[in-house]
Amino acid sequence: MGEITAEVLVSRLAEWGVDTVFGIPGDGINGIMEGLRRNRDKIRFVLVHHEEAAAFMATAYAKTTGRIGVCLATSGPGGIHLANGLYDAKLDHVPVLAITGLQESSVLGTAYQQEVNLDRFFADVSEYNQIIMNPAQLPALVDVAIRTAYARRGVAHLTIPNDIQVAPAGKDPYQTVAPVVAPSTAPIYLAPAVRPRDADLRTAADVLNAAEKVAILAGIGARGAGALLERVADTLGAPIVKSLSGKMVLPDDSPYVTGGLGLLGTKPSEDLMEDCDALLMLGTNFPYTKFLPKPGAAKVVQVEIDPGRAGTRIATDVPLVGDVGATLEALLPLLERKEPKHLRRYQEKVRDWNERMSSLESADRDPIAPQYLAAQLDALATDDAILTCDSGTIATWAARHWRIRGRREFYLSGTLATMAPGLPYAIAAQLAHPGRQVLSLIGDGGFAMLMAEFSTAVRYRLPVKIVVNNNNSLGQILWEQMVLGFPEHGVRFGEPVPDYAAVARACGGFGVHVDKPGDVPGALRDALAYDGPALVDVAVDPNEPPLPASVTYEQAKKFATSFLKGQPHQGAIATTLFRDKIQQLKG
């Protein structure tokens, strides 16, 4: 057999710099798998256990490298399984290419086995979405798909019928008169250097210069502009709040940083949003508007690369369309230096907050406090460690007790906030950065969803370290029910409690279970020292609440109401809350 169309697909991906494809074979993509086999010196195929994990891995690969991530699934149910991971990429604005199979073109529309219109299914999640129906069109459509994914920071999808995959490369079976669209001569995407107009920059500077108490809210869009960001903060005497996705934009010990915002944030950040008279938003579309300044309380300048997103969360006085780094570089000479009185006040508040958080990281608490577990992982990890995280209470502990310092990075499902990406993210990050320490702090609920991927880590000999914060429950939902005034229902898994350490050992990796605080540091050290995939399953206090920085009267009232309605763990929860308060007072 000569060169087939699937080989052209793989070669073109390689020319675009793709070196890894995540997926699972199936009869709908056997031709593509053959193309990968014939070109295995160009592209590494990573075999996973679930297509959802493949999509998460592609998303994490894009997040951690800045290059397009690629996932592959068969027709029908295989393609459907990609959806959750692809929505994660869409909502966090990272470039991912999904490739799926399709039944032979001659049977499409006949309700053939596993026939699903995947182009229609992916219509909402994708920025570019095409069926390849002619081998001659493939190279050009690969180019358009990848360029679009980069340009629009989202998902592109190509679905290819079985017969097209194995057709002779470049053959046009229809002998059309129209010329074949030629592929790009240079398969490369050059991002434009977007800078706001001078008049808009001047207007923004006037607003910021006139304000007395400026606050900055920085998101992941400010990544790489940390030094400029600190210069702006120093000039304006402005404290900096970081979104959760933007946690790695600046070190947590920066003198300008107040921490996060929202349910997972800090009290100084909340106070700042109520206190400022001007807010500079940089590369963030922060969704929780109730934590932002009240309408009319502060002038708002927003730097946003996508003009369609500027002003969607809060009324914006001056939208600046541009890259954060290029914008700050142009804006900085226009800003007037302010006295740092406002900044110093928040530096004092941050010191007090950090003392409160440190008091909850006590080794004396039994059952194990999740804050202590997160703090120990933070203390033992390297300064260039990459931490991936899942959604739920675990995100609270990571947000507050995992400190960004040195070259550390932090990744989670930001806007979609889905469960289960922690482990797949770690695998992709380790493949992308083989020389760095990669850790995942993940809840038992999220780990259980895709725990078969630990076997993937073992098979590829990836030294990822998985720490399971095991409260044997869906902790975030438990506390949400209580804050709504409902007795808990359907959130505790009960007996028997799975032994995730045994699962890790059964897969061929390191696994240890910990249920005593004194054993936590040693277990983590052993896992970090192990030459291969390691898992530490830690039984933490299931009644530890991920309390917001400030508890409102309504939240407190409904929380109390849930107790009166028959909360089955009143005693344990009350004891934990009491001990938290004692620890804070002692601290």
Side-chain angles (χ1 to χ4, degrees):
M1 184 185 292
E3 186 183 30
I4 60 175
T5 299
E7 289 183 82
V8 177
L9 167 67
V10 176
S11 295
R12 198 60 180 166
L13 292 175
E15 289 170 359
W16 272 96
V18 173
D19 57 15
T20 306
V21 172
F22 304 94
I24 299 179
D27 55 8
I29 52 171
N30 279 334
I32 297 175
M33 292 304 301
E34 174 62 9
L36 285 165
R37 186 193 68 80
R38 295 185 186 186
N39 291 272
R40 54 187 178 274
D41 58 325
K42 297 178 181 177
I43 290 182
R44 165 180 55 187
F45 175 70
V46 176
L47 174 63
V48 303
H49 286 278
H50 196 294
E51 289 92 351
E52 182 180 7
F56 281 138
M57 291 178 192
T59 299
Y61 203 83
K63 286 184 176 183
T64 60
T65 65
R67 305 196 307 272
I68 194 161
V70 181
C71 54
L72 174 65
T74 189
S75 55
I80 292 169
H81 280 159
L82 293 174
N84 197 39
L86 295 182
Y87 271 101
D88 187 31
K90 172 187 171 73
L91 270 62
D92 280 354
H93 311 293
V94 293
V96 167
L97 172 63
I99 302 170
T100 60
L102 200 61
Q103 281 67 26
E104 284 79 359
S105 57
S106 60
V107 301
L108 291 177
T110 66
Y112 202 78
Q113 184 185 31
Q114 294 189 334
E115 182 183 351
V116 174
N117 293 313
L118 290 175
D119 57 320
R120 297 182 196 173
F121 182 77
F122 287 132
D124 178 64
V125 76
S126 56
E127 300 290 341
Y128 184 82
N129 183 21
Q130 287 293 330
I131 305 176
I132 293 178
M133 296 300 293
N134 188 323
Q137 72 183 139
L138 186 140
L141 264 60
V142 170
D143 290 352
V144 176
I146 293 178
R147 279 201 303 267
T148 303
Y150 276 127
R152 298 182 184 171
R153 292 175 168 80
V155 176
H157 170 236
L158 295 175
T159 188
I160 310 173
N162 272 336
D163 51 330
I164 303 298
Q165 296 173 30
V166 297
K171 181 176 176 58
D172 182 354
Y174 307 109
Q175 301 297 314
T176 55
V177 176
V180 173
V181 179
S184 305
T185 54
I188 187 171
Y189 174 76
L190 297 175
V194 183
R195 177 186 179 279
R197 295 173 299 190
D198 288 341
D200 294 335
L201 288 164
R202 182 71 262 176
T203 303
D206 290 343
V207 168
L208 296 171
N209 290 335
E212 295 183 2
K213 297 182 291 185
V214 179
I216 298 174
L217 176 57
I220 190 61
R223 186 180 184 186
L228 280 168
L229 181 51
E230 287 194 316
R231 288 174 59 194
V232 170
D234 184 68
T235 301
L236 295 174
I240 301 171
V241 178
K242 300 186 295 182
S243 73
L244 185 57
S245 293
K247 184 173 173 63
M248 62 184 140
V249 167
L250 284 173
D252 283 311
D253 60 0
S254 166
Y256 307 99
V257 167
T258 62
L261 184 64
L263 293 175
L264 287 64
T266 70
K267 185 68 164 59
S269 294
E270 281 194 24
D271 291 347
L272 180 61
M273 290 297 110
E274 295 178 359
D275 182 35
C276 66
D277 58 2
L279 175 63
L280 175 59
M281 298 177 67
L282 301 173
T284 180
N285 200 26
F286 187 79
Y288 305 107
T289 54
K290 69 177 181 179
F291 292 101
L292 297 176
K294 292 180 175 58
K299 295 284 187 180
V300 177
V301 175
Q302 183 177 5
V303 180
E304 174 57 67
I305 194 69
D306 182 347
R309 292 200 297 266
T312 58
R313 301 301 183 198
I314 185 172
T316 302
D317 297 275
V318 187
L320 296 175
V321 178
D323 170 77
V324 171
T327 301
L328 292 184
E329 197 166 10
L331 181 63
L332 194 54
L334 306 177
L335 299 178
E336 299 170 1
R337 181 165 292 279
K338 299 182 188 295
E339 288 294 321
K341 180 175 63 175
H342 175 58
L343 174 62
R344 285 175 183 156
R345 192 155 65 88
Y346 279 89
Q347 288 172 337
E348 220 23 74
K349 287 175 177 279
V350 169
R351 279 191 286 271
D352 291 343
W353 173 263
N354 287 340
E355 288 177 6
R356 286 179 57 191
M357 291 300 99
S358 295
S359 70
L360 298 176
E361 299 170 354
S362 171
D364 298 331
R365 301 171 65 193
D366 192 359
I368 298 167
Q371 299 97 323
Y372 173 65
L373 172 61
Q376 285 299 303
L377 185 63
D378 172 73
L380 294 171
T382 61
D383 284 356
D384 70 343
I386 297 172
L387 180 72
T388 70
C389 186
D390 221 271
S391 299
T393 57
I394 193 66
T396 301
W397 315 133
R400 293 178 176 173
H401 303 276
W402 170 260
R403 280 89 175 179
I404 296 298
R405 62 174 185 264
R407 292 174 53 227
R408 282 188 174 183
E409 297 177 27
F410 175 73
Y411 298 98
L412 81 171
S413 174
T415 307
L416 186 62
T418 180
M419 292 176 66
L423 175 57
Y425 267 31
I427 290 171
Q430 192 73 81
L431 285 164
H433 304 279
R436 293 176 67 177
Q437 188 182 73
V438 178
L439 320 167
S440 184
L441 185 58
I442 183 170
D444 57 297
F447 177 74
M449 287 183 172
L450 291 173
M451 62 183 173
E453 300 308 334
F454 191 85
S455 174
T456 303
V458 172
R459 192 177 343 111
Y460 288 95
R461 299 179 175 86
L462 302 174
V464 293
K465 314 304 177 188
I466 312 302
V467 180
V468 180
N469 182 89
N470 192 344
N471 56 17
N472 197 36
S473 65
L474 299 172
Q476 189 71 34
I477 308 306
L478 184 156
W479 296 103
E480 286 176 352
Q481 288 179 358
M482 293 178 66
V483 167
L484 289 170
F486 306 149
E488 66 177 63
H489 179 68
V491 290
R492 297 194 190 250
F493 292 119
E495 301 291 340
V497 179
D499 186 347
Y500 295 120
V503 171
R505 293 193 298 271
C507 289
F510 174 95
V512 62
H513 177 79
V514 178
D515 56 16
K516 295 298 179 186
D519 296 334
V520 170
L524 291 176
R525 287 192 188 94
D526 289 345
L528 293 172
Y530 183 74
D531 185 22
L535 182 146
V536 182
D537 181 20
V538 185
V540 299
D541 187 351
N543 299 305
E544 180 71 29
L547 291 175
S550 297
V551 179
T552 67
Y553 170 74
E554 278 301 313
Q555 287 172 330
K557 185 173 72 173
K558 289 179 178 178
F559 188 88
T561 301
S562 74
F563 269 64
L564 298 176
K565 285 183 178 178
Q567 166 56 244
H569 297 87
Q570 292 180 19
I573 292 171
T575 299
T576 299
L577 290 169
F578 178 73
R579 282 191 301 185
D580 279 1
K581 182 55 66 177
I582 290 295
Q583 290 287 347
Q584 290 178 23
L585 292 173
K586 283 171 62 179

